[in-house]
C-alpha cells in the first residue's frame, strides 16, 4: 500500500461488505467535513467506488445526525436532550432494574453487522460479563446465517468467501444465486467482466432480470422460494449425464449417496414444474458449469438464495453441486457467500451471536468457555449459555418469557426486521429501550434513551470483508462535541453496572484482547496487528500468532486446498429435498412477494435516506410488477398499489417492468411508513439458522383507492 499524502487518511467505506478502500481529505467544512478521493492501491476495489461510498461524508455533517443524548421525559413523554451522565445513568438504571426484577436474561442486547470487530467483541463481552445475560443476538442473523450454517455443515468452517475475489476471473464459470451485485456492490462487477473477458461464463439465478442478470451469459428465473429445487434438478442432470467427479467425491467427501438419491427424485420436468425454469436452460447451465477446464467454477450465493425458511438446505444443495462436480477445495473453484453488511463477516466471529463466543467458538463447548473465561478473568461456570436468535429475541420482547429491557447498537429493526409492525409493537412494550446510533432512526424514536455514536470516519477499528480480509478503518477527524464512540458508551455503562474493569474505550486495546480471545479458535486473529493490516492491505484469517523466532504466519487467502475443516478433512454432502415456502400463493393471496435492495440505498436506509444525493436518486419505495399483471389489475406506471399479506398492508407506486415474473411482485425494503416492505414479510424461520423468510411470502395486490 502507499502512504497517504499529508493531511489525508486512507480508510474504508462505511457501507457494504466489499469495504472499498478510499482516501479522505479534510475540507473547509461544507457540505461535509471530509471529501472522498479514490484510492487505487487498495486491491479489492482499485479505486472504484459506488455512489453510496462517494457520498458517505454527507452523514458526517452535524445537521444530519444526533449530537446530544436524548432521554424520554417522564412528564411530556417526549425525547429531550440530556447530558451524558444523565443519559448513561438512565440507561444503566433501566437495564439494571429489569435484571433485578426479572433476572439477568430479562435484559437483551441486539447488535449489528456494521459494527467494527472491536465493538462486536466488546458488546458480546458486555452482555455476558457486565449484564450476565444470554439474551444477545444481532441483525447479521437476518443476513447470512443460512449460508454460514450450511458452510459449517459442509466444510466445518464458515468464511463467506474461502478464496479472494481476485480468483473469480479464473473460475471459468460463476453461478450467482440471488445476488444483484451490480446494484449492491458495483465495484465488484469488474471481477465478473474480467471473468467474461477471459472467456468464462456467468450464470445468474434470480426471479428478476436485474442489472446483474442482464450481464449474464445465462439467466435462470425461478419462482421465489424454489432455488432448492433448481439446485437439485441441476445435480440430477450432472448425475444423469455422467458428469460427477467420482475421484474427487471418493477422495475428499462423504455423504454422496444420500445426496445423489435425493437429486434423482428431482427429475428435470418436475423441477421445471416447480421452478418455472425450462429443462433446456437447466441443461445449458450444467453444460456451462461442467465445461470449464481444470474443474474450475464457483457458485456464489447471496440473500436471494439464503433468506428462506429452508435457506440452509438451499445453500447445502448448491454446495452439493460444487462437491459432485469436483469444484471445491481447489484453485478458482468452490462455493462462497457474498456477505452483505459491512462487517457481516467479522460481526459474526467475535461473540455477538447468541450461540458463539469470540474466535467462532461454540458457547456450549466447555473448552471454548474455559479459554474465553480466562481471557475475560471470569469463572467459566458464570458465563451464560446460548440465547435466542434475533427474531425470537425481538418477538418475545416485553412478554413474560422475553427481555423487558434492551440495549440496541447499530441496527434499525423497525424497518429491517420481518413482520415489522409486530416487532415495532414488541419494542414499544419494553420497560426500557436504549439505542446507540448516529441518527434518530425509526427504532431510536421509540427509545427511552438514545446515545449518539461516533461514525466510521471518526474512530479507528477493524472490519472483516466478505473475503475474510481483516482491514483497518482509520479516524480521519474527531467526532463532533456531544458524541461518543460505542466503545466509550460500553465503558460508561459497564462502570455504572459495577464492572469498572475490562471495557477499554481504546480500539487497539480492545483488538489486542480480541486477538487473545480468538487464539486457537477457527477465526484466529492472534497473528494480526493494526500495523500488519496497514502494511499489507489487510490480512486474511485464520492467522495464528507465531512462536518466538518463527516467521509471521502469512494469513490464509485460500481455504480447503489440502483438506476441509471437518474432523476427517472431508467435505460433507447435505441430504436435502425440495419443500415449499412457508407460505405459498393461494386464492386469497395469489402472488409471491420478494424483497431486495436498490443501488442508491443501503439496508434500513437510516444513513442513505439522509444523504441528499442518494435520497434524490432513490426517493421512496415502489412495487415492481409485470405489465401483464398490471393490465389485469388495471394499473399503469406510477399508480398507487396496495400490497396485502397476512401480516399487513402497504402502499407504494407501481413500477411496471417485464424484468420480473408475472406471478411475482418486488419491493425494496429501505423505507419506513406506509411503504415499508417488511410490514408484509414472513418471520417463518429456518429450523437450523433461524433465518426469517424475507425473500418470499404470499400477497395480493390492489389498485390503491
Ligand atoms: Fe461502499 Fe460497498 Fe459501494 Fe464499495 S460497493 S463504495 S463498500 S457501498
Amino acid at each position: 500500500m502507499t502512504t497517504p499524502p499529508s493531511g489525508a487518511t486512507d480508510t474504508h467505506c462505511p457501507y457494504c461488505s466489499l469495504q472499498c478502500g478510499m482516501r479522505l481529505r479534510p475540507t473547509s467544512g461544507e457540505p461535509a467535513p471530509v471529501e472522498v478521493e479514490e484510492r487505487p492501491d487498495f486491491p479489492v476495489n482499485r479505486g472504484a467506488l459506488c455512489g453510496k461510498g462517494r457520498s458517505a461524508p454527507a452523514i458526517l455533517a452535524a445537521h444530519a445526525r444526533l449530537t446530544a443524548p436524548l432521554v424520554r421525559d417522564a412528564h411530556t413523554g417526549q425525547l429531550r436532550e440530556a447530558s451524558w451522565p444523565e443519559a448513561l445513568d438512565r440507561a444503566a438504571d433501566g437495564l439494571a432494574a429489569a435484571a433485578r426484577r426479572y433476572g439477568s436474561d430479562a435484559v437483551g442486547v441486539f447488535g449489528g453487522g456494521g459494527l467494527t470487530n472491536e465493538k462486536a467483541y466488546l458488546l458480546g463481552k458486555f452482555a455476558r460479563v457486565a449484564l450476565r445475560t444470554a439474551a444477545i443476538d444481532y441483525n447479521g442473523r437476518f443476513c447470512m446465517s443460512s449460508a454460514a450454517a450450511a458452510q459449517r455443515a459442509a466444510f466445518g468452517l464458515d468464511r463467506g468467501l474461502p478464496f479472494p475475489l481476485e480468483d473469480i476471473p479464473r473460475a471459468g464459470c460463476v453461478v450467482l444465486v440471488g445476488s444483484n451485485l451490480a446494484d449492491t456492490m458495483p465495484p465488484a462487477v469488474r471481477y465478473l467482466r474480467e471473468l467474461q473477458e477471459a472467456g468464462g461464463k456467468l450464470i445468474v439465478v434470480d426471479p428478476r432480470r436485474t442489472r446483474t442478470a442482464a450481464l449474464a451469459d445465462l439467466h435462470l428465473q425461478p419462482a421465489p422460494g424454489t432455488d432448492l429445487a433448481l439446485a437439485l434438478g441441476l445435480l440430477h442432470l450432472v448425475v444423469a449425464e455422467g458428469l460427477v467427479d467420482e475421484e474427487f467425491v471418493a477422495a475428499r467427501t462423504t455423504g454422496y449417496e444420500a445426496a445423489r438419491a435425493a437429486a434423482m427424485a428431482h427429475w428435470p420436468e418436475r423441477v421445471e414444474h416447480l421452478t418455472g425454469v425450462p429443462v433446456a436452460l437447466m441443461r445449458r447451465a450444467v453444460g456451462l458449469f461442467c465445461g470449464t477446464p481444470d474443474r474450475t467454477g464457483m457458485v456464489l450465493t447471496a440473500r436471494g438464495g439464503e433468506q428462506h425458511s429452508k435457506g440452509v438446505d438451499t445453500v447445502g444443495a448448491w454446495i452439493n453441486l460444487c462437491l459432485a462436480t469436483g469444484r471445491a477445495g481447489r484453485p478458482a473453484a468452490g462455493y462462497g457467500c457474498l456477505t452483505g453488511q459491512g462487517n457481516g463477516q467479522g460481526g459474526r466471529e467475535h461473540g455477538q451471536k447468541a450461540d458463539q463466543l469470540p474466535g467462532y467458538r461454540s458457547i456450549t463447548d466447555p473448552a471454548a468457555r474455559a479459554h474465553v473465561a480466562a481471557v475475560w478473568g471470569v469463572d467459566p461456570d458464570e458465563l451464560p449459555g446460548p440465547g435466542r436468535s434475533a427474531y425470537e429475541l425481538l418477538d418475545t420482547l416485553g412478554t413474560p418469557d422475553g427481555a423487558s429491557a434492551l440495549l440496541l447498537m447499530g441496527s434499525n429493526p423497525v424497518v429491517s426486521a420481518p413482520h415489522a409492525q409486530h416487532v415495532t409493537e414488541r419494542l414499544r412494550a419494553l420497560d426500557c429501550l436504549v439505542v446507540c446510533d448516529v441518527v434518530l432512526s425509526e427504532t431510536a424514536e421509540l427509545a427511552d434513551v438514545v446515545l449518539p455514536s461516533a461514525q466510521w470516519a471518526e474512530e479507528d477499528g477493524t472490519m472483516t470483508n466478505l473475503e475474510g480480509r481483516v482491514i483497518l478503518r482509520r479516524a480521519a477527524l474527531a467526532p463532533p462535541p456531544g458524541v461518543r464512540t460505542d466503545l466509550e458508551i460500553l465503558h460508561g455503562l459497564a462502570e455504572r453496572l459495577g464492572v469498572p474493569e475490562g471495557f477499554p474505550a481504546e480500539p487497539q486495546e480492545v483488538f489486542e484482547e480480541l486477538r487473545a480471545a480468538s487464539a486457537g479458535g477457527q477465526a484466529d486473529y492472534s497473528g494480526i496487528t493494526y500495523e500488519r493490516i496497514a502494511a499489507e492491505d489487510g490480512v486474511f484469517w485464520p492467522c495464528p500468532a507465531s512462536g518466538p523466532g518463527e516467521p509471521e504466519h502469512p494469513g490464509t487467502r485460500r481455504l480447503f486446498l489440502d483438506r476441509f475443516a471437518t474432523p476427517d478433512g472431508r467435505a460433507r454432502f447435505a441430504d436435502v429435498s425440495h419443500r415449499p415456502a412457508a407460505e405459498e400463493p393461494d386464492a386469497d393471496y395469489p402472488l409471491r412477494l420478494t424483497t431486495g435492495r436498490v443501488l442508491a440505498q443501503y439496508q434500513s436506509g437510516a444513513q442513505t435516506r439522509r444523504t441528499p444525493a442518494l435520497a434524490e436518486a432513490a426517493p421512496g419505495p415502489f412495487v415492481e410488477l409485470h405489465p401483464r399483471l398490471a393490465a389485469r389489475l388495471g394499473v399503469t406506471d406510477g399508480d398507487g398499489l396496495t400490497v396485502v399479506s397476512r401480516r399487513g398492508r402497504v402502499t407504494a407506486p407501481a413500477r411496471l417492468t417485464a424484468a420480473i415474473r408475472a406471478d411475482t411482485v418486488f419491493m425494496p425494503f429501505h423505507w419506513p411508513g406506509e411503504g415499508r416492505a417488511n410490514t408484509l414479510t414472513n418471520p417463518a424461520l429456518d429450523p437450523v439458522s433461524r433465518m426469517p423468510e424475507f425473500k418470499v411470502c404470499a400477497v395480493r395486490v390492489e389498485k390503491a383507492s
Side-chain angles (χ1 to χ4, degrees), residues 13-20 22 45 48-54 184-188 597 602:
C13 175
Y15 296 122
C16 84
S17 65
L18 207 54
Q19 284 300 292
C20 292
M22 58 171 59
N45 61 310
L49 295 166
C50 77
K52 296 181 286 270
R54 288 189 187 283
T184 55
M185 46 182 80
R597 288 165 50 183
Y602 179 72

Side-chain angles (χ1 to χ4, degrees), residues 30 46 55 115 173 194 201 368 436 466:
E30 289 299 328
R46 294 187 211 150
S55 60
L115 301 178
C173 181
E194 287 171 11
K201 301 298 179 192
C436 311
L466 74 174

